[in-house]
Amino acid sequence: MIEIGIDSFATNFTALGSKINSSESLRLLLQRIQFADEKGLDVFGIGEHHRKEFLDSAPSVILAAAAGTTQRIKLTSAVSVIGADDPVRLFQNYATLDLITQGRAEIVVGRGSFVDAYPLFGLNLEDYDALFAEKLDLLLQIRDNETVNWNGRFRPALKDQAIYPRPFQEKLPIWLGVGGTTQSFVRAGRLGLPLMVAVIGGETHRFRPLVDLYRESGLEAGHKLEDLKVGLHSTGFVGATTSASTKIFLPGYTKAMNNIGKERGWGPLTQEHFERETSPLGAIVLGGPEEVAEKIIRHAKALGGINRFTFQMDVANLEHEYLMEAIELIGDKVIPIIREMEKV
């Protein structure tokens, strides 16, 4: 069964020119998480950014606030930029969240799509890869051992150091968020970590060789196939119809992509590019409920099966009302369609 959820970057509506202030933006986000829980979605993730347009610089705080108004939905980071964080504090934050939720907390760790955190915390971008590898190693040691002995380059050593609190779950789930680098897929497999693949452009089926490599690496390292879970994180939105969803989604998405493009040297978004991304094989999962459900199943089969799919809608800077409508459609229509298709 494919878990269905949403990943949010906690849009700061004020930064987008809205009259809604930052406090109200977060209140509305918490309302959406509660609504997702009520509508039967399986997971809600909060990203980590350190930018004006997003309010997710402290994702565990947002998730802790959501814990008090939800009953069953899993609450996770999406992703935690571990290279710029302290693994001890990261573990403690989510172990505490796990205790509060009685076992609904997870962590997705990754490098992040922006590098704002590194200069903010006085880190050298030349150490980007080394920071990630070392801190991931420490996080996993903390997760698997109550008392830790550890040495590294970027953090003071730990000697016979007990780390508390311990989570509600026997083994706090830690997923590895990856883009398109072969090394990341192999690392996830060798470590036996669930894999969250961010496909935000191109054709999703092209990631199949990397997903296969992840599974092969995991099996070679002695991990069980059932433990080698695969998640898919994609830009998307669900509207009443395909035309309605496109009308709502396209203006904000175009603006956001063009703004990011100016930072990274991309050209402006074209209609041809958008149509390619929203085509049956394209990465963007956009349309009415039936079309979206079919595309999720199509992508799942193309990758050899997936265990989780999460929508990223914030990139289109959508208003709260549209996001609530999308959550309702996902819960009431998309998930039931997927469950029926999974029976075939």
Side-chain angles (χ1 to χ4, degrees):
M1 185 179 74
I2 303 172
E3 294 181 324
I4 304 296
I6 291 173
D7 291 330
S8 174
F9 295 164
T11 299
N12 182 1
F13 293 113
T14 304
L16 303 178
S18 170
K19 294 182 180 180
I20 299 174
N21 63 32
S22 298
S23 177
E24 181 68 2
S25 294
L26 284 174
R27 188 191 70 80
L28 293 174
L29 171 59
L30 293 172
Q31 186 180 111
R32 295 195 295 275
I33 300 174
Q34 181 179 7
F35 191 51
D37 182 51
E38 294 171 357
K39 284 296 173 180
L41 275 69
D42 299 295
V43 60
F44 206 107
I46 301 294
E48 179 189 343
H49 299 82
H50 303 270
R51 302 169 62 87
K52 185 177 181 179
E53 63 265 36
F54 301 127
L55 296 168
D56 60 348
S57 62
S60 63
V61 177
I62 297 173
L63 294 171
T69 60
T70 56
Q71 301 297 321
R72 51 167 297 280
I73 197 167
K74 295 177 182 178
L75 301 173
T76 183
S77 61
V79 302
S80 293
V81 184
I82 191 173
D85 206 344
D86 177 29
V88 174
R89 291 300 286 157
L90 179 64
F91 178 83
Q92 289 175 325
N93 288 340
Y94 282 87
T96 302
L97 177 65
D98 202 48
L99 292 171
I100 293 170
T101 61
Q102 295 189 320
R104 291 190 284 127
E106 297 186 357
I107 309 175
V108 181
V109 296
R111 290 179 171 85
S113 58
F114 294 93
V115 296
D116 309 74
Y118 293 86
L120 180 64
F121 297 112
L123 300 169
N124 192 333
L125 277 174
E126 293 181 359
D127 297 323
Y128 186 75
D129 291 328
L131 280 163
F132 177 80
E134 179 177 297
K135 293 189 176 185
L136 175 60
D137 173 67
L138 176 54
L139 179 64
L140 294 177
Q141 288 203 40
I142 295 169
R143 192 269 304 268
D144 296 339
N145 302 280
E146 187 171 323
T147 300
V148 176
N149 287 280
W150 179 89
N151 282 284
R153 288 174 54 195
F154 303 105
R155 190 198 186 283
L158 297 172
K159 184 176 181 180
D160 294 327
Q161 181 65 59
I163 296 174
Y164 302 109
R166 306 310 296 177
F168 183 87
Q169 298 176 79
E170 182 177 350
K171 195 169 186 177
L172 184 67
I174 297 176
W175 295 62
L176 188 60
V178 301
T181 62
T182 300
Q183 180 185 6
S184 296
F185 285 80
V186 172
R187 175 189 282 122
R190 288 176 177 170
L191 294 173
L193 296 177
L195 183 77
M196 179 55 69
V197 187
V199 181
I200 57 177
E203 296 181 338
T204 300
H205 71 272
R206 292 183 177 179
F207 281 75
R208 176 63 181 269
L210 291 172
V211 173
D212 286 345
L213 183 60
Y214 158 70
R215 293 182 172 122
E216 292 167 5
S217 299
L219 291 174
E220 289 175 1
H223 301 291
K224 297 178 181 179
L225 185 60
E226 57 265 31
D227 294 330
L228 299 173
K229 297 179 180 179
V230 176
L232 178 59
H233 160 106
S234 296
T235 301
F237 177 70
V238 185
T241 64
T242 298
S243 60
S245 62
T246 301
K247 184 177 180 181
I248 293 168
F249 183 84
L250 181 56
Y253 179 74
T254 301
K255 184 177 180 180
M257 289 298 99
N258 288 344
N259 286 339
I260 295 173
K262 290 177 183 178
E263 293 182 21
R264 302 187 178 184
W266 303 340
L269 180 71
T270 65
Q271 182 65 28
E272 179 184 4
H273 178 79
F274 180 75
E275 290 176 356
R276 186 166 60 248
E277 292 295 315
T278 55
S279 69
L281 299 181
I284 298 178
V285 181
L286 175 73
E290 187 169 341
E291 181 181 10
V292 164
E294 290 175 351
K295 192 165 189 177
I296 291 172
I297 292 295
R298 187 183 306 119
H299 284 346
K301 291 180 178 178
L303 296 178
I306 63 174
N307 303 89
R308 177 177 293 179
F309 178 87
T310 56
F311 291 88
Q312 169 45 251
M313 303 184 195
D314 286 4
V315 70
N317 299 331
L318 299 175
E319 296 177 6
H320 173 70
E321 290 74 17
Y322 291 134
L323 295 170
M324 289 288 279
E325 290 172 6
I327 291 170
E328 184 169 25
L329 288 169
I330 292 169
D332 289 350
K333 296 188 176 183
V334 174
I335 291 177
I337 294 172
I338 289 174
R339 296 292 173 255
E340 287 300 315
M341 295 178 72
E342 287 176 319
K343 296 177 182 178
V344 178

